[in-house]
Structure formats: C-alpha cells, structure tokens
Amino acid sequence: MPSAPDGATMPPMRRLSLLPVLLLAGCGGGTPSQPAAEPTAEPPSAFQNQVAALPEGQRKGVFIRAIRDAGFDCQGVVEAHRQGEGLSGQPLYVAQCSDKKYYGILLGRDGTAQVVTRGDR
C-alpha cells in the first residue's frame, strides 16, 4: 500500500471512469475564431425530478444505495446537497458518509447514478 507523507498507510484508491468526464465538462470547444457552442441541456427526466422532490431522509437513502452499489463502503449519509450540473444538465449531488468521505453522484436521465470519490479523503 502507498504511504502518506506522515508515514501512515493509505487505503487503495478506487476511481470510476466518470472522473475524466467530469474534469472535461468545463472545457470549451470550437476554434479561436469561433465562440464555443453552448451545449443544449435537456429538461430533467421524471426520475431526476422525483429524486429532487424527495424528503431529505429519503434522498439520502437513494444516495447511500448508489454509493454502496458502486462498491464503496458507506454506513450512512449524514449530509447531501445539490452541487450543480454535469454534462447535458444532469443533476450533480455531493454526499458525505458517516466516515467523513465525500462522493459525487451524477443522476442520469434513465434512472442510473454514477458515483465518483476523491479516494482516501
């Protein structure tokens, strides 16, 4: 296992393939002589609206299920809030588990969730 600067052993990092996509979300397109084309976001799907309308406790339940289904250990979501939008206007939420780890959750239009974490933090 890799070691932290203070000599402590760090757990292995798990990354999902969504991270590069999220990093590229802020990149512009087009040529220098043309302004970048604005992406056209679709309106929220019924699933995305249902999650947004859930009471906080139930929304946290959806997020803990997504985090666990992605293979991460989370005993409980203690905080969750909408952080903005990902590609094509998908809602992006940030959830914090009881072990103080944070996860980004991108809700797809089709009822799927993509989960990304910062690894050992």
Side-chain angles (χ1 to χ4, degrees):
M1 277 191 193
S3 294
D6 62 2
T9 302
M10 296 177 3
M13 298 173 97
R14 292 182 278 181
R15 294 185 181 118
L16 299 178
S17 61
L18 178 62
L19 184 58
V21 175
L22 289 176
L23 293 174
L24 291 174
C27 295
T31 62
S33 62
Q34 279 182 316
E38 290 292 322
T40 55
E42 296 182 46
S45 69
F47 165 73
Q48 292 166 331
N49 284 332
Q50 288 172 344
V51 172
L54 287 173
E56 181 181 6
Q58 291 179 0
R59 191 169 37 252
K60 287 178 180 178
V62 170
F63 295 154
I64 192 170
R65 178 64 188 255
I67 293 166
R68 288 178 176 174
D69 285 353
F72 298 104
D73 182 34
C74 180
Q75 299 304 311
V77 172
V78 296
E79 184 181 337
H81 63 276
R82 178 136 181 205
Q83 185 66 32
E85 296 180 346
L87 299 173
S88 302
Q90 299 125 322
L92 175 63
Y93 289 85
V94 173
Q96 180 186 14
C97 290
S98 56
D99 62 359
K100 309 258 189 247
K101 291 184 180 177
Y102 289 88
Y103 299 89
I105 303 167
L106 188 66
L107 299 180
R109 297 183 51 73
D110 60 355
T112 60
Q114 296 176 319
V115 179
V116 65
T117 184
R118 299 184 325 175
D120 64 323
R121 297 182 185 182

